[in-house]
Amino acid sequence: MLSVRLLTCLPQPSFAPSWRLAAPLAVLWWCLALPGAHAQAPSPSPLPPEVEAALSRARLPREALSVLVVDAQGGARQAPRLAHRAQVPMNPASVMKLVTTYAALDQLGPAYAWNTPVYVQGTVQDGSLRGNVYIQGQGDPKLVMERLWLLLRRLQGQGIQVIVGDIVLDRTAFDVPEQDPGSFDNEPLRPYNASPDALLVNYKSQVMTFVPDVAAGLARIQYDPPMAGVQRQASVALAAPGADCGDWRGALRAELSDPARIAFQGVFPASCGERVWPIAPADPRGFAARAVEGMWRELGGKLTGSVRDGKVPAGLKPVFVATSPALAEVVRDVNKYSNNVMAQQVFLTLALGNKGVPATFDGARDALRRWWHLRFGDADQPVADNGAGLSRDARITAQGLARMLQSAWASPVMPELVSSLPIAGVDGTLRRSQARGAAHLKTGSLRDVMAIAGYVHGASGRRYVLVAMVNHANAGAARPVLDALTDWAARDQ
């Protein structure tokens, strides 16, 4: 029995490169003590009184909560500090990003980076290219405006100022079906609803910055990145003096449904000061082409053709390759700020193992299932859906997630994962947390869902894994419940 459990639990060669096999004994003890490693489940524990009181104030039944608190390092026959409905599959919302990011760190390594090759077909003479430029997306989650600027500057460094041809965007590394950005919650202009793309430019979002000029009676508007073929209103009138900032976005009365035009029928309150409004434009599929052309022209480049989709011709060699930040940095952005589209880019990258085969969501789910099986066996397999938690169908148990977090604590990539998590009351999605206990926790929230998972630093110096998920129509009121659990876990003396 012991040998079977170890084969299921310990790192396997196909997913454990040599740099990770240096400490198999460090993993042995948690294999022997992980919740769920035995046939029996953690025994139910009475909820702490302060948690019961918080549930009552929030008008949430005990059955809405699933929670598990265990020692991060585990230990033979060590019982959980707190276990309540820990084996019940729950919707974790964005807490699912922990599964995606740990799987990526474990399989790809923290130094993994995405490449975006750039190809030139044709001849360059006197600053003009007679031919096409090809930009091949390979899933880079962080091809933001600044890095697009650098990529196109490097292209100009090849002696190209005029392209007598087209800029061709190769997005074939991902095979992702067209998605209606409003299908999830009827908010198509919210950047968190952006869909993944092999050539994801600036998260498929544009940032509008409003800067009031009281003397001129207007607020100037800056648009980043610059978008080709879009009529943009350069300024908007200021509201009457003394107007409260309030719902300043509503006061602007923005017209954003036309992909070729951005206009405002309202006013901007000067009392707001400088404000930033990120939006997902109405034509997400055409966003990359508009952004690339807009940035190229902003840099003084000329283009006689168009920016279009296509495929890099066989045999063509890249003139240079733009490289993304390392996975460790990307994971920090994903978890600290709960970036959905970046998480989906990372998730799809798990399916890029077979060269020449486009990554699909089915392939990514299969890759995650195989990784989970090799690491933890078949128990508590998560239903990952799109890997970001932006889903009504995603499911995981508190027990399964706690096992994974114990595994991560014993892993060489533990520092990268833990440092990517928001710190309670300090930064990321937990900067406004009222919890007094010290903790690194990933948050998740959807309609009917609120969750946290990560590590709590006990007053005794011990570290605990905390997983708590609330699934209920009144889940939006559960924040004090989760804060109470965090504080209780931290008070271990």
Side-chain angles (χ1 to χ4, degrees):
M1 288 294 293
L2 177 61
S3 62
V4 172
R5 282 178 55 204
L6 292 183
L7 285 173
T8 302
C9 186
L10 285 174
Q12 303 296 310
S14 61
F15 283 99
S18 58
W19 63 267
R20 198 182 297 116
L21 290 177
L25 291 178
V27 185
L28 176 59
W29 51 263
W30 65 259
C31 284
L32 297 175
L34 287 176
H38 301 273
Q40 66 269 25
S43 301
S45 312
L47 292 173
E50 57 265 53
V51 175
E52 292 275 19
L55 283 168
S56 178
R57 287 191 297 270
R59 298 183 179 179
L60 287 164
R62 299 174 86 254
E63 294 72 26
L65 174 67
S66 173
V67 62
L68 189 62
V69 179
V70 292
D71 194 300
Q73 293 187 342
R77 300 187 182 88
Q78 188 175 73
R81 279 187 63 198
L82 178 64
H84 175 69
R85 303 178 74 248
Q87 285 188 306
V88 179
M90 304 281 279
N91 188 327
S94 284
V95 165
M96 184 61 78
K97 292 180 176 71
L98 284 173
V99 178
T100 296
T101 52
Y102 177 48
L105 286 169
D106 188 51
Q107 293 185 63
L108 305 174
Y112 179 87
W114 289 261
N115 290 325
T116 303
V118 177
Y119 305 78
V120 172
Q121 184 185 47
T123 58
V124 180
Q125 185 174 7
D126 298 327
S128 293
L129 166 68
R130 296 189 174 276
N132 296 330
V133 170
Y134 294 85
I135 303 175
Q136 187 178 50
Q138 295 184 355
D140 185 348
K142 205 169 180 181
L143 188 56
V144 293
M145 185 184 77
E146 297 85 352
R147 293 188 56 241
L148 176 63
W149 184 91
L150 287 171
L151 183 151
L152 294 176
R153 282 288 292 162
R154 288 183 69 180
L155 180 59
Q156 291 183 339
Q158 304 294 317
I160 301 170
Q161 290 293 328
V162 179
I163 300 172
V164 186
D166 297 333
I167 299 177
V168 182
L169 309 181
D170 187 338
R171 305 152 89 161
T172 57
F174 286 178
D175 182 9
V176 180
E178 287 291 324
Q179 299 179 22
D180 175 4
S183 62
F184 184 74
D185 58 3
N186 201 32
E187 293 282 359
L189 301 180
R190 297 280 191 175
Y192 63 72
N193 276 323
S195 58
D197 196 310
L199 189 64
L200 181 75
V201 175
N202 211 57
Y203 316 128
K204 281 188 184 172
S205 67
Q206 185 174 39
V207 176
M208 304 183 294
T209 304
F210 298 83
V211 182
D213 183 338
V214 176
L218 53 80
R220 294 182 176 83
I221 311 171
Q222 179 175 319
Y223 301 84
D224 294 309
M227 302 288 284
V230 179
Q231 297 178 9
R232 299 167 296 180
Q233 190 170 317
S235 64
V236 62
L238 291 180
D244 184 63
C245 186
D247 181 16
W248 62 272
R249 294 183 185 183
L252 284 165
R253 295 169 53 201
E255 296 181 355
L256 305 173
S257 59
D258 185 347
R261 178 176 175 267
I262 296 176
F264 304 93
Q265 299 299 319
V267 293
F268 181 79
S271 60
C272 292
E274 183 176 313
R275 293 285 173 143
V276 173
W277 185 1
I279 62 166
D283 175 25
R285 182 68 188 175
F287 181 85
R290 291 183 187 274
V292 168
E293 181 176 350
M295 186 66 76
W296 177 250
R297 296 190 186 280
E298 185 93 347
L299 286 168
K302 294 181 173 56
L303 176 68
T304 65
S306 64
V307 181
R308 59 178 175 85
D309 286 346
K311 191 170 175 59
V312 175
L316 197 61
K317 302 296 183 185
V319 292
F320 66 87
V321 175
T323 303
S324 76
L327 176 61
E329 181 178 332
V330 168
V331 162
R332 180 180 172 88
D333 285 348
V334 170
N335 287 333
K336 286 278 188 187
Y337 307 105
S338 209
N339 190 303
N340 289 316
V341 71
M342 289 183 77
Q344 292 181 68
Q345 297 284 118
V346 173
F347 186 59
L348 285 163
T349 300
L350 298 177
L352 278 178
N354 297 323
K355 192 168 183 178
V357 177
T360 65
F361 277 122
D362 283 342
R365 287 187 282 265
D366 183 61
L368 187 68
R369 278 192 295 268
R370 288 185 286 111
W371 172 80
W372 188 278
H373 173 77
L374 288 168
R375 279 282 180 260
F376 312 112
D378 291 325
D380 300 308
Q381 272 271 1
V383 179
D385 198 1
N386 57 29
L390 191 70
S391 167
R392 306 294 180 201
D393 301 320
R395 293 291 184 275
I396 195 168
T397 65
Q399 176 174 274
L401 189 50
R403 292 178 66 199
M404 191 204 79
L405 289 170
Q406 285 182 311
S407 162
W409 189 260
S411 164
V413 300
M414 178 272 284
E416 286 76 19
L417 183 68
V418 175
S419 66
S420 77
L421 304 182
I423 304 171
V426 175
D427 67 1
T429 58
L430 275 180
R431 66 190 180 281
R432 295 190 180 93
S433 170
Q434 298 301 306
R436 293 177 295 277
H440 287 75
L441 298 167
K442 178 73 193 78
T443 63
S445 62
L446 293 172
R447 186 195 70 227
D448 304 341
V449 180
M450 189 166 285
I452 55 171
Y455 304 96
V456 177
H457 311 280
S460 68
R462 298 177 72 176
R463 298 294 184 264
Y464 300 96
V465 167
L466 166 62
V467 179
M469 294 176 280
V470 176
N471 286 188
H472 190 268
N474 202 31
R479 177 56 59 196
V481 177
L482 303 183
D483 287 344
L485 280 164
T486 303
D487 291 339
W488 176 85
R491 290 194 306 270
D492 63 347
Q493 287 184 324

